[in-house]
Amino acid sequence: METRSNHVLVGAVVLILLAMVAIFTVWIARVSGGAEREYDIFFRQSVDGLAKGSSVTFSGVPSGQVKTIALWKPDPQFVRVRISVNDDTPILRGTTATIQGSFTGTSTVSLDGAIKGQAPITCPEQNPQNVCPLGVPVIPTKTGGIGAILNSAPQLLERLSTLTERLTGMLSDKNQASIAGILDNTNRLTDALADRGPEIAATLAQTRVAIAQAGTAAEQIGQLAETTNGVLAQDVKPTLANLNATIKSARESTETLNAAIGDARPGLTTFSKQTIPQVNQLVRDLRVTAASLSAISERVEQGGASSLIGQQKLPEYKGK
């Protein structure tokens, strides 16, 4: 009986010790949990290499760990990653999250971009579901590092394939022969230029001389222009003055003529209205008189002077 009672006592003591250890562990967990803050991150890229317990760093400094990883049911394109970080980690407005991969296959969540003076990322009091759908603040993401390369890998591979095809087409046998011909022509042109080197040098020397002569000619033209301006200033100005005087005299003569015409205008009006009609009547009478005189002269020529006095005899009729 005593042996059984000892075993029961030892078992009871062990159970009490285990209970105390469990309580202490829970207390430590609560204490440590109170010094951490949780955030959600919604990645729209692959989270390969990221697992529960993966490290979370802030500007390279270890600051927490990944708690859970799950697909976001409202939109399966997103992967929800919940992290917990130390309370003294400055998660401020402007902080972003990226996935940093490594050659070992493991990935970490990297936080950076906190701006000094900005407010911490928290859930608002009004309509918190719009900003914090699961009750904790959300850290925005940005693509970077190996994740960005992996996301753009299909496009890069497609572009590399297109570039390879184009290079293959450009380096075909026909194009290679054309390139070889171009290189041969270039070599011949280079040799020809090398042979013509002295002539080219002489041509350049002559060009320099021609340029110098052109400069001298330009200076002479400038001097000639100055001389011409002086001649115009000395000789043309008096001529222009005389011309202006002549024009003035012609203008005065024109005004005098206009005045004379104005004075003679009544006489001209009378002449045109009275005299001209009388002259026209006189001309008509003269025409009639001339016609009569012509008829008389014809009669005198045909019948003599007696034809003016007597009547003209009719011709005698002779029967057949």
Side-chain angles (χ1 to χ4, degrees):
M1 294 294 294
E2 293 181 0
T3 302
R4 289 183 179 180
S5 61
N6 291 334
H7 287 294
V8 172
L9 181 61
V10 171
V13 172
V14 171
L15 290 175
I16 293 172
L17 292 176
L18 291 175
M20 291 178 64
V21 169
I23 294 171
F24 180 76
T25 302
V26 172
W27 179 76
I28 291 295
R30 288 181 178 178
V31 171
S32 61
E36 293 182 348
R37 290 174 295 171
E38 292 185 347
Y39 296 90
D40 279 338
I41 305 172
F42 293 89
F43 289 103
R44 199 174 181 176
Q45 66 184 75
S46 175
V47 293
D48 290 338
L50 200 65
K52 183 178 180 180
S54 296
S55 176
V56 177
T57 62
F58 189 94
S59 297
V61 178
S63 303
Q65 61 181 355
V66 176
K67 289 293 185 181
T68 58
I69 301 176
L71 292 175
W72 177 238
K73 292 183 180 180
D75 190 351
Q77 292 182 351
F78 291 94
V79 178
R80 182 181 65 85
V81 177
R82 175 162 293 188
I83 62 172
S84 62
V85 297
N86 300 331
D87 188 61
D88 58 351
T89 304
I91 308 298
L92 308 177
R93 300 289 179 183
T95 301
T96 56
T98 57
I99 296 177
Q100 295 291 339
S102 63
F103 293 102
T104 59
T106 59
S107 301
T108 60
V109 177
S110 177
L111 306 176
D112 59 4
I115 302 174
K116 182 180 179 181
Q118 294 293 327
I121 298 177
T122 57
C123 294
E125 295 180 358
Q126 297 179 354
N127 297 325
Q129 293 298 325
N130 294 334
V131 181
C132 306
L134 296 178
V136 297
V138 177
I139 300 176
T141 63
K142 71 174 182 179
T143 305
I146 297 178
I149 297 175
L150 293 176
N151 288 336
S152 60
Q155 297 179 356
L156 291 176
L157 291 175
E158 183 178 358
R159 292 178 181 177
L160 287 174
S161 176
T162 303
L163 180 61
T164 303
E165 292 177 358
R166 292 181 178 179
L167 288 175
T168 302
M170 186 177 64
L171 297 177
S172 62
D173 295 337
K174 182 178 179 180
N175 291 336
Q176 288 181 2
S178 300
I179 293 172
I182 292 171
L183 293 176
D184 292 338
N185 294 331
T186 303
N187 291 331
R188 286 197 296 270
L189 178 61
T190 304
D191 295 337
L193 289 175
D195 296 336
R196 297 287 182 177
E199 296 179 3
I200 295 173
T203 303
L204 291 176
Q206 293 177 0
T207 303
R208 293 192 186 97
V209 173
I211 293 172
Q213 292 177 353
T216 303
E219 293 179 358
Q220 293 177 355
I221 291 173
Q223 295 175 359
L224 179 60
E226 293 178 357
T227 303
T228 304
N229 291 332
V231 171
L232 291 175
Q234 294 178 2
D235 298 340
V236 175
K237 286 183 178 179
T239 304
L240 291 176
N242 295 331
L243 181 60
N244 290 331
T246 304
I247 293 172
K248 184 177 180 182
S249 299
R251 186 178 300 165
E252 293 176 355
S253 300
T254 303
E255 293 176 355
T256 303
L257 181 60
N258 290 332
I261 292 172
D263 295 337
R265 186 170 297 169
L268 293 175
T269 303
T270 303
F271 178 78
S272 62
K273 291 183 178 180
Q274 298 179 4
T275 304
I276 290 177
Q278 295 175 0
V279 171
N280 291 334
Q281 184 63 37
L282 178 60
V283 169
R284 287 196 295 271
D285 295 341
L286 289 174
R287 287 179 180 175
V288 172
T289 303
S292 299
L293 292 175
S294 296
I296 292 170
S297 62
E298 289 179 357
R299 291 177 64 182
V300 170
E301 289 179 356
Q302 294 177 0
S306 60
S307 62
L308 296 176
I309 299 172
Q311 294 183 351
Q312 185 177 2
K313 294 181 178 182
L314 295 174
E316 294 180 0
Y317 177 79
K318 294 179 179 182
K320 293 182 180 180

